[in-house]
Amino acid sequence: MFHIQTVALPQKCPASQSISHNPKQWSPPIQDIIDPFTNEHKSTSVKVRLLLGDTFLDVHLSIPPGPIRCSAVCASVVERQGITREAASLFALWIVGKDLELQVRPGADLLEVVVDWNKLVVKYTHFPQAVDPDHLFNQYWLIFRREASVCKSVERATSLKDGIALKMLFGEAKRNIVTGRYPCTSKDAVNLAALQMQASMGNYDPLRCPSGYIL
């Protein structure tokens, strides 16, 4: 069974600041915040990752004790980032591990999903090491990204009206191409690389960019 990690809430420290963030060290995206003096469950910290262009953003939410509905978490992320209601329909919350990725149902309780995560990893990845709940195979992230059933025409028409949604979709697509998740011909790869270079470096300037500049 996979357990929810508890974090002691320091005195004179808001719950949102009690979660240390070290990009080089994984920490559970869902953590219970406990008052060290009363041992009372104050709140639950939920960290949701957004892919934004060439970088990512971790959105930290403080949820009252009790069930954590996926739909409520998505609504909080949408409101926090200023995403329009129409564009919000393009995205869903995913629980993503090293070799397993699942789109979470809107009505699902994230606490139940996380508790069952270890069993799902063991069932669907077939790695013997996954039996150990503390093994890296059981590490996971909560990512707000493209909803699996959205068709291209709806995605294109909607995202062009919302700059934040377009940036998120670009960030996800770029990672999928670079990591080989999206099939891509050599010609398409060269064209996409050229577009990325133009967006990052601007128009070609022979004085600023002589032969061998990017090597």
Side-chain angles (χ1 to χ4, degrees), residues 3-208:
H3 299 282
I4 307 298
Q5 180 172 326
T6 59
V7 177
L9 180 63
Q11 193 175 15
K12 299 181 181 180
C13 180
S16 61
Q17 297 178 0
S18 66
I19 306 299
S20 61
H21 176 62
N22 184 346
K24 296 182 180 180
Q25 182 179 3
W26 178 83
S27 61
I30 299 181
Q31 301 185 16
D32 288 336
I33 307 301
I34 306 298
D35 189 315
F37 300 105
T38 64
N39 204 34
E40 179 185 358
H41 181 195
K42 303 292 292 185
S43 62
T44 301
S45 173
V46 179
K47 180 174 65 177
V48 180
R49 177 159 294 185
L50 279 64
L51 306 178
L52 296 175
D54 293 326
T55 184
F56 64 83
L57 172 69
D58 286 334
V59 178
H60 294 263
L61 305 173
S62 181
I63 309 295
I68 303 177
R69 299 299 171 191
C70 174
S71 57
V73 171
C74 290
S76 296
V77 172
V78 168
E79 181 181 6
R80 181 83 64 88
Q81 297 306 120
I83 302 173
T84 63
R85 179 174 298 183
E86 184 181 12
S89 64
L90 300 176
F91 302 95
L93 190 65
W94 292 69
I95 181 169
V96 178
K98 183 178 181 296
D99 290 282
L100 182 63
E101 303 180 7
L102 300 174
Q103 182 174 309
V104 184
R105 297 189 306 273
D109 182 356
L110 290 182
L111 295 177
E112 296 179 357
V113 174
V114 170
V115 168
D116 291 337
W117 178 247
N118 177 229
K119 293 187 292 185
L120 295 171
V121 172
V122 172
K123 180 178 180 181
Y124 292 111
T125 67
H126 308 293
F127 285 111
Q129 303 94 322
V131 176
D132 178 9
D134 296 324
H135 196 279
L136 60 85
F137 281 129
N138 289 299
Q139 294 181 358
Y140 68 94
W141 291 261
L142 296 175
I143 301 181
F144 190 63
R145 69 185 198 191
R146 188 181 187 278
E147 206 275 340
S149 63
V150 173
C151 64
K152 290 183 179 180
S153 59
V154 173
E155 176 185 328
R156 184 177 296 108
T158 305
S159 63
L160 290 177
K161 303 175 184 177
D162 189 298
I164 299 176
L166 185 62
K167 195 171 185 180
M168 291 171 59
L169 291 170
F170 166 75
E172 181 179 348
K174 178 181 177 181
R175 283 168 172 79
N176 287 336
I177 291 173
V178 171
T179 59
R181 292 165 59 94
Y182 279 178
C184 184
T185 65
S186 298
K187 180 180 179 180
D188 288 338
V190 170
N191 289 334
L192 290 170
L195 291 172
Q196 175 64 40
M197 184 179 299
Q198 202 282 333
S200 302
M201 304 174 65
N203 294 331
Y204 173 68
D205 181 351
L207 297 178
R208 186 172 62 89

